Amino acid sequence: MMPTFDTAQAVLSAQRLTLRAGARTLLGAFTHTFYEGEIWCVAGPNGAGKTTLLSTLAGLLQPSAGHVELDGVRVADWPPLALAQRRALMPQSAPDAFSTSVFDIVMLNRFPHLSGWGWERAADREAAQAALDLLGLAAFAARDVLSLSGGERQRVALAATLCQDAPLLLLDEPLSHLDLHHQIDCLEALAAWTREPRRTVMFSCHDLNLARRFATHALLLDGAGGAYAGPVQDVLTPALASRAFGYPLILIRDGEHEALIPAPRARHESLAGQDTPAG
């Protein structure tokens, strides 16, 4: 019997998780627990292992060592249908193989909830409509998915993931192809979605300032097997981000607002060759 989950209990746990790509270690013996109500940003340089990590947490890839637990059960031991009802993964890209409506594309993610005959119920259609409404896509429902721009298709993919109605969302670059306005709209929608009980979000993102604004926690991969995890303001700091991305960053403030920006070139050149990044 699969476990039920109680308020304030752990959702996801990585136990001495090691990920490798060929001879390179992406993540070494990483242990951390993720809880309900948290919004995690997974950040790091290109090739650091963000996609590999999210796929491993979702149970689609086997780690080189260690394991992942979901609600106290190893993710590898979950039955596929129960796992699909408990967690949803949004990949970086989902090419469309055929022409169909946006509504039908979103409805595809209701498969884990359909009856044995596979017929859609009123509740399934309502879930699809609610996901489209949340992301401001109601007017797109009848559009052919092949007619959409890259950014529009990305928002539809996020709506489909929400329609799956899984309490844990693992989102790989959900903001790619989106302009700033829609990036903020999507993050606000995810923040509102997470305020409901028993929900957790993990998303990878390259914009550290959007992450600092909307995420509650951050997992920063340094590209050399190390990782920093904790409250977003404690992890996405100038020192740690500079070390991970290999370029000095500084924090600027305007009243209550903060932003990480690249250090001026003169400062960058003066720091070249030093072991300690700008803080």
Side-chain angles (χ1 to χ4, degrees):
M1 178 181 297
M2 300 311 300
T4 58
F5 41 90
D6 300 321
T7 302
Q9 288 198 352
V11 170
L12 193 65
S13 177
Q15 297 293 324
R16 296 195 60 79
L17 194 65
T18 297
L19 306 177
R20 295 191 178 93
R24 189 163 68 93
T25 297
L26 302 174
L27 189 64
F30 174 71
T31 296
H32 198 82
T33 300
F34 308 90
Y35 292 88
E36 295 169 353
E38 296 175 340
I39 303 175
W40 281 82
C41 171
V42 181
N46 291 336
K50 299 183 293 294
T51 295
T52 301
L53 173 61
L54 289 172
S55 296
T56 303
L57 294 176
L60 300 184
L61 292 179
Q62 291 295 320
S64 299
H67 67 275
V68 177
E69 294 180 2
L70 180 60
D71 296 338
V73 176
R74 291 196 182 208
V75 69
D77 295 335
W78 277 73
L81 183 60
L83 183 60
Q85 293 171 346
R86 183 62 182 88
R87 67 91 183 96
L89 173 68
M90 176 181 169
Q92 279 194 38
S93 61
D96 299 301
F98 53 88
S99 173
T100 189
S101 72
V102 165
F103 188 85
D104 286 340
I105 285 290
V106 173
M107 278 289 293
L108 288 175
N109 278 52
R110 292 300 297 174
F111 180 80
H113 303 281
L114 300 184
S115 65
W117 290 99
W119 296 112
E120 301 154 359
R121 300 158 297 179
D124 300 310
R125 292 187 288 274
E126 290 169 2
Q129 190 62 55
L132 290 170
D133 290 343
L134 183 62
L135 292 173
L137 293 169
F140 287 67
R143 286 269 303 272
D144 188 324
V145 69
L146 296 182
S147 73
L148 302 182
S149 69
E152 291 167 342
R153 184 61 184 88
Q154 190 75 354
R155 291 160 62 202
V156 170
L158 181 56
T161 307
L162 290 170
C163 185
Q164 191 169 327
D165 199 25
L168 171 63
L169 301 185
L170 302 170
L171 313 174
D172 195 2
E173 297 289 351
L175 306 182
S176 62
H177 308 297
L178 300 185
D179 57 33
L180 180 61
H181 170 71
H182 287 118
Q183 288 180 343
I184 292 174
D185 284 349
C186 287
L187 288 171
E188 287 178 340
L190 289 172
W193 182 88
T194 311
R195 284 194 286 271
E196 295 292 326
R198 302 178 175 180
R199 293 177 173 179
T200 305
V201 171
M202 296 186 69
F203 70 98
S204 58
C205 177
H206 287 285
D207 192 319
L208 302 183
N209 290 312
L210 284 178
R212 284 170 58 89
R213 176 175 171 181
F214 287 97
T216 62
H217 295 74
L219 174 55
L220 178 61
L221 307 180
D222 66 8
Y228 311 95
V232 66
Q233 300 295 331
D234 295 342
V235 173
L236 297 185
T237 64
L240 294 182
S242 296
R243 186 174 299 125
F245 287 95
Y247 194 100
L249 302 173
I250 58 175
L251 187 68
I252 62 172
R253 294 183 174 88
D254 181 10
E256 298 179 354
H257 305 289
E258 297 180 339
L260 284 169
I261 65 169
R265 179 166 296 277
R267 184 175 180 183
H268 177 209
E269 292 172 350
S270 69
L271 292 172
Q274 295 186 16
D275 294 331
T276 303

